[in-house]
Amino acid sequence: MGTAGLPREARICRAGDFAALRQASGRLGGRCFSVRYRQNGAGHARLGLAISKRVSKRAVDRNRIKRLVRESFRRALPGLPPVDLMVTAREQACSLPGSTLLAELDALWRKLPPLKREGDGSTMAS
C-alpha cells in the first residue's frame, strides 16, 4: 500500500527557488492565505510553504496549517498549470476551522491563470 503524501518532485526545497518567487512572481490573496506563483520548467506544479511564527507561536498550529495546505495542493495538483507556488499564511488562519481554510485554498487554486505552453504563440490568459 503506497502513501498518499506529496511527492518530492512536487515540493520547492531550495532557497534560490523561494528567492525567485519573492522577486518576480504573480500574486493572489485571500483572507487567510497569500500565494505567489511563477511559471516553471518542471512540467508540473510545485509547492513551497512559508508559515512563520508571526502566524502563531505554537508549532502545533503552524503544522496544522501546513498539513491543510499540502492536502489541498495534493488534491488540486492534476488540474494545476506548471507553476511554482509559495503559500504564506496570515494570522487569521489559526482561528478558523479546517473546512474554511480548505475552501479558501481551493478558490485560490482556481484563480491561478492558465499559463501558455512552450511554443504557443498566444498570450497569457487571464
Side-chain angles (χ1 to χ4, degrees), residues 23-34:
Q23 295 214 331
S25 62
R27 298 162 104 181
L28 293 172
R31 192 169 104 191
C32 300
F33 297 101
S34 173

Side-chain angles (χ1 to χ4, degrees), residues 47-66:
L47 176 69
L49 297 171
I51 313 297
S52 71
K53 282 189 179 180
R54 186 178 299 164
V55 174
S56 174
K57 298 288 185 208
R58 293 171 16 129
V60 67
D61 293 333
R62 295 191 308 271
N63 291 339
R64 174 182 163 264
I65 292 169
K66 288 188 243 183

